[in-house]
Structure formats: C-alpha cells, structure tokens
C-alpha cells in the first residue's frame, strides 16, 4: 500500500512540475506546497485499522476510508489479498416473516489482474464457488441477529486484490463481522473465522493455497465470544475424531483474537446501534390465548405416532387455521403477523417439551434410534450405476455416469486465480424437485440450497474416489421424498451407486444428521439448563430444533461436516465437541449396513447369472 501511495505521489509531483514549470524550474527541484509526510499522515488518519498475528502472518482490519455511505464497511487484508465488505439495513420493516438477509460474495477478475474471457469482457452471474462462499458467510452471521428483526439487510463482499496465496473467503467472513459490528445495525456479534489445515500431522492456521493442496483437512471455524461456536464447515480425508476435535479447539482459540480486535475497533470507531421501530414478537396476551386454544390439540397430534409427514402437517394446519380464526375475532386490531407467530410459538413449545420432558419423538422413536433403512441397486440396466436409498420417508435416487477425462469440469484461468478451483473429474449434482415435499413449483436451474446440499454430499464422497481413476465421474442425486437430511441420504445413495458402477472406492460412505433441543435458564439468560440430542432428525425436528449437525464419513474417519445454528442464541463450545464422537458411531453403523447390503445384492446377482 505504501509503495502504491508513493507511486501516486511521484506521478502527481511530475504532473504539477510540468504544469507549474518554467525554464528555471526545470534546472532545480520543484517545491510542492505539501510534503510527503503530510500526504501519508492524512491517509493514516482517515483509515482506522487494527492488526493481529495469525500463525506466521498479519491480519489487518481497516475502516473509515472506503464506502462511507454504507451503514458499515470493513476492509480485511492478509498478505496481499484484500476484501471489502459492506453492510446496509433498511429502517423500514419488511413484510417478510423471517430475517430477510442477503449475502453476496463476488469475485472480480480485476482483483487478480485479469480481464474476463466472456464475450462481454465483464463479470456475469454468480459462480458456484461464489454462491457456496455466500452461504458460509450467511450461516456465520445470521444466528446472531435479534429474534424478530425483520428488516432487509444486505452484505456485499468485493474482492479488491488476490495474491494467489491467501484465500479470500475467510477474510470475507471476518469482514462481514467487522462491518456489522462497526455499523448501527442491531447485531449480537462480532464473530471471527479461521481455516484450519492438517499437514504432516501438524495443524496450520489459515494455510496458503499451496499448503492446502497437501492438507488432509479443510475446516472453517466461525466462533463468537466466550469460546462459542457459530458455524463449522469441513472437508477431510478420513480424519480421526480426536484430530478433528483438536482442530475445532484450535480454531475457536484463534477466532477469539480476531473477535477482540473487532471489538476494539468497534469500541473506538463504531456507530451507536439504532433503535428499530418494532421487533416482531407477538404480544403476551395473544400468545397466552393461542396456548389455551391449541396446546392440548397439538400435544395430541405430536404424541400420535401413526402420523407420517403429510398427515401430521395436515392435522397441524387444521388446528392452525381454526386457532387463527378465533384469534382474529378476539383481537380484531392485531397485526396478522402476531396472530401467525403466536401459533408458531405454541406449536414449537409443545413439540420441544415432549422431547425434553418425555424423551419421546413425534414418530415414536427414542432419542438415539435411526429410522428404518432400505436400499436397492442396479435399478436401470442402461446406466453405469444406480441406487435407491430410503431412510424413513427420505428417498434419494442416485445414478453414476462415466465419460472421458476430457469431459471433466474445467475452470478458466481467472476462476483458478481467484478461488483456486481447478479442473475436477468427480462431481455430484443434487436435485430437489417440488413433489418431494408434496408441493408444486417452477422447475428451474439449480438454486442456492441445491448447490449447497450437493457440495456437501460431494465433499463426503470425494476422498474415497481413486485419484488415478481414468474416467470423469458424474453422480446425480435426485430427492424423490424428503423428510429430513436429504443431503446425507444423497451421500449414502451416491456411495451405493458408485459401488454398483464398479468404482473401486476405498470404503462405503454414510452420513447422518443430528439435532439439538435445548432449554435455557430463565434466571441466567443464555445459559443452557437442559438439552436433548436427536439422532437422524426429521424435517420438523430440523425446523423446530436449535441446530443441524450433518456429518459423513467412512469406518476410518470423517470426510465431511456441516454445522448450522438455526436461532440467534449459541450453544457452548464444550458442548459441541461431544457431537463428532456421538454422530460418528451412527454413520459407522450405516456404512456397515450399506456394505453388507451391497455384497448381499452381488451374491444374489451372481446366483441369477448362474
């Protein structure tokens, strides 16, 4: 940066010398009305920054110089990679009944010193890597917004410079955290994020791209104050459980350094938080009336184990409509949102109390039981490989297609320079049509959710594919029925389809989703009083629970992991660490079932041939 300023200063000096020069002036040095020290000092005064050491490199967070019309702006720099993040939130409430947060991470060819190669020579739509990075940022900051904050909020991440050594996605998460902390937007942050790699048995904080090429682990940890975990995203090559836990501990420890620096910057230069017009929470009188009207009927529905997904939803919806009708008559001036949300609160409390108090789930299982699993392979003879995986009411059809190496997904030079994404000859594409949940809708190109779920299943399967496999492999996972954890079902179905196609994978892969129901102390807000861990969660348990913990792997170790918190509060870090040990047992069980089933089918097939 100093070199750049010096260069501009010399150019300006030359221009002014030519403008003001005379015959005598050419023979002697031109004297400007200001000195270089004044120029550099003014720049430093305008830019407010903090620095910290992460590993063997320096991370810098600055604000106050760029995009000052935004509610908050931060520029994060690591090495010569810089990312600018802005945060803007409307002061008028949105008609949405959820937190309308939009995160856009955009790669700019200019940041890598390139010109786009398309016919317009400019950036076009979002790439898959940009969408996946946007989702990680969203999951890192969304849980910390206040409940009932329904104001349109946009986070924009722009790459200013990329050095090809340091990954910009981690900088974007920290930049979003700093921009929100510096702004007047109500938010319970800040958070910090780091990437942890595992190279030759040693954990590396924020490894370079070259180091990541030989790393067995790619773990992104987002943490909050007091050693709390907000988000985890990982791809690994059969990493052991104890190594994974150690990586999470190291990551949370490093995020605390970033959080302290952002807090210091916000304390010195941040804006006072705005007072919003309204937090969308229903009045207590309406909520109590809804509880009186609906709680017993909802308890009967959630305790009836004969219900499946569709019948349960229909029964709850019937109670909803009748309850809302009574509430509208009794409170004619009430906001429609208050009426709807009052019923939602009652429904959620009844559902969670059954699990907390009676250790029962709405489908009759205990807390640790898996749903019934059934599988089938070799469904369609013309295909290279096919499998149908069914777990409860979640059903996924997976297929495998081979083609030449020339058919691999090729990344252009700019994408490689900006994101490090190179050609790949293994890909998994996930589809979620509307009929999978008894709905209708437009069947369009991939959306953000489908891309994210497919990427997770692809991470789970990639480590078991032979690196020298002489063909390009495309796995498709089409969700035919969905009632919880279709992405993990895609990993299981994909593993079966690969074995059916004859791919010599190193071992079957299975995945499971684990949920969490917590009870917080009324005397000490934010402190967990009690909790229940749910194995192999249903869709309703995901929706009304506190966390979605997806883990996939083989009998040897973890290959993929994704943790998301669904509400504004956080779960303590020490509590999260029990999950890898807990969940890994179940995907080992599923792996054994998949492996046994596949060989059983092979024996039957060989007998048919004879």
């Amino acid at each position: 940066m100093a070199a750049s300023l010096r260069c501009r200063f010399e150019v300006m000096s030359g221009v002014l010398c030519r403008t003001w020069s005379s015959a005598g002036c050419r023979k002697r040095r031109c004297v400007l009305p200001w000195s270089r020290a004044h120029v550099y000092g003014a720049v430093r005064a305008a830019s407010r920054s903090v620095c910290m050491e992460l590993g063997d490199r320096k991370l810098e967070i600055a604000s106050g110089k760029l995009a000052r019309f935004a509610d908050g702006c931060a520029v994060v720099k690591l090495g010569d990679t810089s990312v600018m993040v802005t945060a803007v939130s409307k002061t008028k409430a949105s008609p949405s009944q959820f937190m309308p947060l939009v995160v856009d991470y955009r790669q700019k060819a200019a940041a890598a010193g390139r010109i786009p190669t398309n016919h317009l020579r400019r950036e076009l739509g979002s790439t898959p890597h940009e969408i996946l990075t946007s989702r990680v940022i969203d999951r890192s900051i969304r849980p910390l917004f206040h409940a009932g904050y329904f104001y349109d909020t946009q986070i924009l991440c722009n790459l200013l410079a990329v050095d090809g050594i340091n990954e910009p996605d981690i900088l974007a998460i920290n930049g979003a955290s700093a921009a929100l902390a510096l702004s007047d937007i109500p938010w319970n942050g800040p958070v910090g994020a780091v990437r942890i790699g595992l190279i030759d048995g040693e954990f590396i904080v924020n490894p370079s791209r070259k180091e990541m090429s030989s790393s067995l682990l790619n773990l992104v940890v987002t943490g909050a104050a007091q050693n709390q975990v907000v988000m985890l995203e990982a791809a690994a090559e059969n990493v052991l459980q104890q190594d994974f836990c150690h990586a999470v501990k190291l990551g949370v420890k490093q995020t605390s350094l970033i959080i302290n620096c952002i807090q210091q910057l916000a304390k010195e230069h941040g804006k006072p938080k705005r007072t919003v017009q309204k937090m969308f929470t229903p009045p207590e009188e309406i909520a109590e009336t809804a509880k009186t009207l609906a709680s017993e009927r909802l308890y009967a529905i959630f305790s009836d184990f004969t219900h499946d997904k569709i019948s349960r939803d229909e029964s709850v919806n019937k109670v909803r409509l009748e309850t809302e009708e009574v509430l509208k008559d009794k409170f004619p001036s009430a906001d429609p949102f208050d009426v709807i949300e009052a019923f939602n609160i009652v429904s959620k409390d009844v559902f969670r109390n059954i699990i907390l108090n009676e250790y029962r789930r709405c489908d009759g299982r205990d807390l640790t039981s898996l749903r019934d699993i059934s599988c089938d392979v070799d469904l369609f003879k013309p295909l290279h490989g096919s499998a149908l995986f069914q777990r409860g009411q979640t059903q996924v059809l997976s297929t495998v297609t081979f083609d030449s190496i020339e058919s691999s997904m090729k990344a252009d030079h700019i994408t490689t320079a900006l994101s490090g994404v190179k050609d790949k000859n293994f890909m998994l594409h996930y589809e979620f049509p509307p009929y999978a949940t008894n709905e209708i809708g437009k069947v369009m190109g991939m959306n953000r959710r489908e891309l994210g779920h497919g990427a997770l299943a692809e991470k789970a399967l990639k480590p078991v594919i032979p690196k020298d496999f002489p063909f390009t492999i495309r796995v498709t996972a089409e969700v035919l029925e969905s009632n919880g954890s279709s992405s993990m079902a895609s990993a299981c179905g994909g593993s079966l389809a690969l074995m059916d196609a004859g791919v010599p994978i190193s071992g079957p892969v299975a995945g499971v989703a684990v949920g969490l129901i917590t009870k917080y102390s009324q005397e000490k807000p934010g402190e967990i009083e009690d909790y229940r861990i749910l194995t192999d969660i249903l869709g309703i348990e995901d929706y009304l629970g506190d966390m979605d913990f997806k883990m996939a792997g083989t009998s040897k170790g973890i290959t993929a992991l994704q943790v998301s918190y669904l509400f504004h509060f956080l779960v303590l870090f020490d509590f999260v660490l029990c999950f890898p040990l807990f969940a890994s047992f179940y995907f080992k069980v599923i792996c054994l079932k998949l492996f046994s089933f596949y060989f059983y089918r092979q024996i039957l097939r060989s007998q048919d041939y004879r």
Side-chain angles (χ1 to χ4, degrees), residues 278-334:
K278 179 183 179 182
M279 284 293 188
F280 289 84
T281 53
E284 188 174 342
E285 184 181 4
I286 298 179
E288 285 298 322
T289 305
K291 182 178 180 180
T292 303
L293 293 170
S295 58
E296 290 185 4
R297 297 175 67 186
L298 289 171
Y299 178 86
I301 294 171
F302 294 140
S303 300
D304 186 353
F305 306 145
T306 63
H307 280 303
D308 62 6
K309 172 183 169 61
I310 301 299
S311 64
R312 186 183 301 110
D313 289 349
E314 289 175 347
S315 299
V316 171
N317 196 45
K318 181 181 178 181
V319 177
R320 174 191 294 277
L321 294 175
E322 294 174 1
T323 303
E324 289 178 358
E325 197 66 35
V326 175
L327 291 175
K328 289 175 184 177
D329 292 339
K330 190 169 184 178
F331 303 96
S333 60

Side-chain angles (χ1 to χ4, degrees), residues 187-204:
W187 190 59
N188 291 326
V191 299
V194 295
R195 172 175 275 109
I196 303 295
L198 178 59
I199 305 170
D200 296 329
E202 182 180 355
F203 292 102
I204 307 296

Side-chain angles (χ1 to χ4, degrees), residues 316-538:
V316 171
N317 196 45
K318 181 181 178 181
V319 177
R320 174 191 294 277
L321 294 175
E322 294 174 1
T323 303
E324 289 178 358
E325 197 66 35
V326 175
L327 291 175
K328 289 175 184 177
D329 292 339
K330 190 169 184 178
F331 303 96
S333 60
D335 190 287
F337 169 82
D338 293 336
V339 173
I340 295 171
E341 189 62 17
F343 180 85
N344 290 340
I345 290 174
V346 174
S347 178
K348 178 180 175 182
D349 287 346
V350 171
F351 183 86
R352 293 163 65 93
N353 286 334
I354 292 174
I355 296 172
L356 285 167
N357 300 331
E358 302 179 20
Y359 292 81
R360 291 188 296 127
R361 299 162 73 172
C362 61
D363 61 353
R365 286 182 293 155
D366 59 32
L367 304 185
T368 60
S369 294
L370 295 169
R371 290 173 287 176
D372 291 338
I373 294 174
S374 64
C375 314
D376 202 359
V377 295
D378 195 25
L379 300 170
F380 305 103
K381 299 299 181 184
L383 304 183
H384 294 137
S386 59
L388 184 69
F389 180 82
Q390 180 102 33
R391 177 162 48 193
Q393 287 186 295
T394 297
Q395 184 185 74
V396 175
L397 173 65
S398 297
T399 66
V400 171
T401 305
F402 295 141
D403 209 329
S404 64
I405 289 294
E406 287 72 22
S407 299
S408 62
M409 183 180 290
K410 295 176 174 58
D412 60 84
H413 297 299
I414 295 174
T415 302
T416 302
L418 290 169
S419 61
V421 176
K422 299 180 180 179
D423 300 358
K424 60 179 184 178
N425 66 338
F426 172 72
M427 61 203 83
L428 186 146
H429 295 153
Y430 169 99
E431 299 176 22
F432 193 97
Y435 61 75
T437 52
N438 192 33
E439 297 175 354
I440 59 173
K442 291 183 178 180
V443 181
M444 305 174 66
M446 65 177 179
N447 55 41
R448 289 191 169 203
R449 179 184 177 279
E450 289 181 340
L451 186 63
H453 281 54
L456 179 61
E458 183 180 299
K459 287 178 186 176
L461 293 172
K462 186 178 178 181
V464 302
I465 304 294
K467 298 188 184 302
D468 58 349
F469 196 70
F471 300 102
T472 296
I473 305 173
R474 179 180 185 242
V475 177
T476 64
E478 184 171 358
V479 181
L480 306 182
E481 301 173 3
S482 178
N483 189 16
S485 189
S486 57
S487 60
M488 293 295 92
S490 298
C492 297
S495 178
L496 279 170
L498 288 167
M499 289 191 286
D500 183 57
V503 179
I505 61 176
S506 59
V509 174
V512 66
V514 178
L516 174 69
I517 302 292
T518 54
K519 181 180 179 181
Y520 279 79
S521 172
Q522 295 181 348
E523 290 136 5
K524 298 179 181 178
E527 183 175 313
I528 295 175
E529 185 179 288
D530 201 4
Y531 66 87
R532 302 288 180 268
I533 299 171
L534 308 179
T535 306
D536 188 19
I537 56 176
L538 301 171

